[in-house]
């Protein structure tokens, strides 16, 4: 295959593809119907012209027949008057008009046949146009339904990658994070409250123990910190100093907590 043949085939293939993509069923149907309407107008004009020609031939035939009849009568008149030569000339004229009328009759029959054919074609074309109009409306409705279906399917297919849907997903994730954060904050607040009460309870034990120790230093006794029975040894000054040192160390330890 030559280079020019290959180029020609590529160009024609691209052109056909371009035309196929550019074809809109609704527009093509409208244009086809317009073309049929133009054909109908031309056919009607052709039928009208043929009918006019038929009438003209019929008039010419009638005139020729009238002339033939008139020259027949003149020939009879000339023969009655004894003018045989004049009668012969009249008969010659009658023959000419009779032949003309016969030729016109043949032409008229042919013209009538053409008119009938054109009329049948006209009726057939009118029927096709009426059918085409109905079919065009049906095809247009189907084409519009197909386009709507295609657009719907395209919209459904784009839902997974659509920015709007992505925004909804991001906002849903953000709301979940906010809910989780609020729940964690509530749990932390509850834990803090529990720890505060625990501290208060623990602090009460320390105060009770401190009060018992003070009472012991003062020489008193408490039910919770009483000395063991069988130890009658009194608290001396050295023991009191030792206790004070221990208390100071305990305070410093507590202050450091």
């Amino acid at each position: 295959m030559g280079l020019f043949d290959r180029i020609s085939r590529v160009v024609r293939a691209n052109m056909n593809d371009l035309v196929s993509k550019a074809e809109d069923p609704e527009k093509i149907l409208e244009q086809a119907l317009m073309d049929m309407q133009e054909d109908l107008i031309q056919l009607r004009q052709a039928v009208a012209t043929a009918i006019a020609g038929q009438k003209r031939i019929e008039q010419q035939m009638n005139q020729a027949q009238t002339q033939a009849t008139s020259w027949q009568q003149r020939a009879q008149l000339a023969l009655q008057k004894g003018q045989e030569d004049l009668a012969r000339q009249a008969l010659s004229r009658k023959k000419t008009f009779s032949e003309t009328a016969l030729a016109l009759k043949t032409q008229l029959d042919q013209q009538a046949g053409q008119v009938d054919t054109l009329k049948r074609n006209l009726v057939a074309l009118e029927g096709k146009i009426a059918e085409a109009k109905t079919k065009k409306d049906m095809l247009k409705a189907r084409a519009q339904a197909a386009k709507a279906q295609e657009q719907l399917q395209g919209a459904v297919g784009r839902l997974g990658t659509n920015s709007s849907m992505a925004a909804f997903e991001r906002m849903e994730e953000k709301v979940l994070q906010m809910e989780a954060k609020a729940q964690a904050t509530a749990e932390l607040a509850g834990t803090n409250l529990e720890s505060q009460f625990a501290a208060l309870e623990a602090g009460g034990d320390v105060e009770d123990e401190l009060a018992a120790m003070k009472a012991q230093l003062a020489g008193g006794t408490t039910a919770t910190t009483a000395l063991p029975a069988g130890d009658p040894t009194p608290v001396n000054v050295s023991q009191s100093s030792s206790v004070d040192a221990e208390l100071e160390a305990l305070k410093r330890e507590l202050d450091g907590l």
Side-chain angles (χ1 to χ4, degrees), residues 182-201:
Q183 184 177 1
T185 302
E187 292 178 356
L188 290 176
T191 303
N192 188 26
L193 185 62
E194 292 291 337
S195 63
Q196 290 179 4
F197 276 105
L200 288 177
E201 293 174 354

Side-chain angles (χ1 to χ4, degrees), residues 64-247:
Q65 289 176 348
T66 300
Q67 290 291 331
T69 301
S70 177
W71 285 108
Q72 173 71 24
Q73 293 173 354
R74 289 177 181 180
Q76 290 178 355
L77 180 61
L79 189 60
Q80 289 174 359
K81 297 296 183 180
Q83 296 182 10
E84 186 174 343
D85 291 337
L86 187 59
R88 187 177 292 109
Q89 291 178 5
L91 290 175
S92 179
R93 291 287 183 89
K94 176 225 172 182
K95 181 181 179 181
T96 301
F97 282 108
S98 296
E99 291 175 351
T100 301
L102 183 61
L104 290 172
K105 178 65 169 60
T106 302
Q107 185 176 355
L108 180 62
D109 292 339
Q110 295 175 353
Q111 187 71 15
Q114 292 179 358
V115 170
D116 290 339
T117 301
L118 289 173
K119 285 182 177 179
R120 287 195 298 270
N121 292 336
L122 179 61
V123 172
L125 182 57
E126 289 176 345
K128 288 181 179 179
I129 290 176
E131 181 181 358
K133 287 181 178 179
T134 303
K135 195 171 184 179
K136 180 203 71 171
D137 295 336
M138 180 184 66
L139 291 176
K140 285 180 65 176
R142 290 173 58 184
Q144 291 174 354
K147 287 182 179 179
Q149 183 68 18
E150 184 179 2
Q151 292 175 354
L152 178 61
Q153 293 298 330
V156 172
R158 291 192 300 269
L159 287 178
T161 57
N162 191 274
S163 59
S164 299
M165 293 302 299
F168 272 100
E169 293 176 357
R170 290 197 306 272
M171 293 303 103
E172 183 179 5
E173 182 65 24
K174 189 170 183 179
V175 170
L176 290 175
Q177 292 178 359
M178 293 172 64
E179 291 175 347
K181 185 176 180 180
Q183 184 177 1
T185 302
E187 292 178 356
L188 290 176
T191 303
N192 188 26
L193 185 62
E194 292 291 337
S195 63
Q196 290 179 4
F197 276 105
L200 288 177
E201 293 174 354
D205 294 339
V206 170
E207 292 296 330
D208 292 340
E209 186 175 359
L210 180 62
M213 294 178 69
K214 287 181 178 180
Q216 184 180 6
L217 293 175
T221 60
T222 61
T224 58
T225 59
L227 292 175
D231 188 8
T233 305
V235 178
N236 54 25
V237 177
S238 61
Q239 289 178 337
S240 177
S241 300
S242 176
V243 171
D244 291 337
E246 185 178 353
L247 284 176

